[in-house]
Amino acid sequence: MSWQFTVGLRAQGKADRIVVHAEDALVAALKVKAERPEATIMYVRRLNRRGDARHPPHTLTGGLNQNRSGPG
């Protein structure tokens, strides 16, 4: 079963968040670290659709997450 996780990271002095589809939080963090080895992982949590609607995170490929349709 796959979940959506928000991974908070810091790279080049800037904080960012990325949404990753993964089996668990560790796998999500490792996927981000594999794509961005210079980044520091600050947190991993399950996607919060209501809270993340105000500040949409990016997907792992770099674009905004387009799979969601507003809060709720």
Side-chain angles (χ1 to χ4, degrees), residues 10-71:
R10 182 172 302 277
Q12 300 172 355
K14 295 184 180 181
D16 198 7
R17 327 173 271 298
I18 298 176
V19 172
V20 180
H21 292 276
E23 294 77 27
D24 61 22
L26 178 60
V27 174
L30 290 173
K31 284 183 177 183
V32 172
K33 193 66 172 176
E35 186 169 303
R36 299 185 182 188
E38 75 284 354
T40 301
I41 305 297
M42 297 188 303
Y43 64 88
V44 180
R45 63 174 170 79
R46 286 195 37 206
L47 183 68
N48 177 355
R49 290 185 183 269
R50 186 172 185 182
D52 292 334
R54 292 183 181 170
H55 306 284
H58 304 282
T59 58
L60 191 56
T61 58
L64 288 178
N65 191 1
Q66 301 293 327
N67 296 339
R68 297 179 313 162
S69 59

